[in-house]
Amino acid sequence: MNSVVYWLNQADEIVDVNDEWDNFALDNDGNEVVRDKVIGKPLFNFIVGESTRMFVDNLLRRARLRYQETHKFYRCDSPDVKRFMEMRIVPEDRDLLRLEHTIIRREVMTPPVYYQYSPTIKHPYRRCSICNKVLHQSVWCEGSDLIRALPQSSVDAIDAIDVIYHVCPTCIYQLI
Ligand SMILES: [Zn+2]
């Protein structure tokens, strides 16, 4: 599996992306984020959730400040596949960061879990953008475990789990 690679200038605008970016976008219904539509745009236009933005911003600042390569493990799941990912941030020069996202391994998600971003409803679940866990009764758990914990009738009644994006305490701690 090739890495998705893109480059950011100091304003966090996307300067370039590799071919794998388009392949990944198209595989994941990302017609709005194919190459032509993202070049020159701020990366943060494409990151949903204030705490997730702060998390990524923090990583980028750190890479620039220390001027050294840094890496982070995270999850980028689809409804039926857990994708274990690594992000590497490499300062190429003072004005250019290279970001590489690589799939390390995949596992089947059973049962599959569908989410929808629902910032306006009253009690959305919180989903960690880094490890993809969901907060349920004070515990951050796998989405498939949440589905199993819910009564079957309520699972049948919904198309997707309503979430807002967050970063869980474990992932925040790993940033320190
Ligand atoms: Zn997390």
Side-chain angles (χ1 to χ4, degrees), residues 71-111:
H71 77 117
K72 181 95 196 78
F73 294 107
Y74 70 103
R75 289 264 294 275
C76 179
D77 298 346
S78 63
D80 51 2
V81 181
K82 296 177 187 175
R83 296 197 199 99
F84 294 81
M85 311 278 303
E86 181 184 27
M87 170 169 64
R88 292 174 67 216
I89 304 177
V90 184
E92 289 202 334
D93 62 43
R94 290 281 169 196
D95 190 39
L96 201 63
L97 287 182
R98 185 175 82 241
L99 282 81
E100 302 176 1
H101 297 253
T102 309
I103 297 179
I104 295 168
R105 71 174 203 278
R106 301 162 203 260
E107 286 176 16
V108 176
M109 180 100 74
T110 339

Side-chain angles (χ1 to χ4, degrees), residues 8-15 40-44 60 64 95:
L8 298 178
N9 64 18
Q10 273 194 327
D12 293 327
E13 292 161 348
I14 299 169
V15 177
K41 302 266 174 62
L43 173 70
F44 290 95
L60 297 177
R64 287 194 180 103
D95 190 39

Side-chain angles (χ1 to χ4, degrees), residues 147-158:
I147 297 278
R148 282 196 210 97
L150 295 173
Q152 189 59 42
S153 56
S154 66
V155 173
D156 290 344
I158 54 169

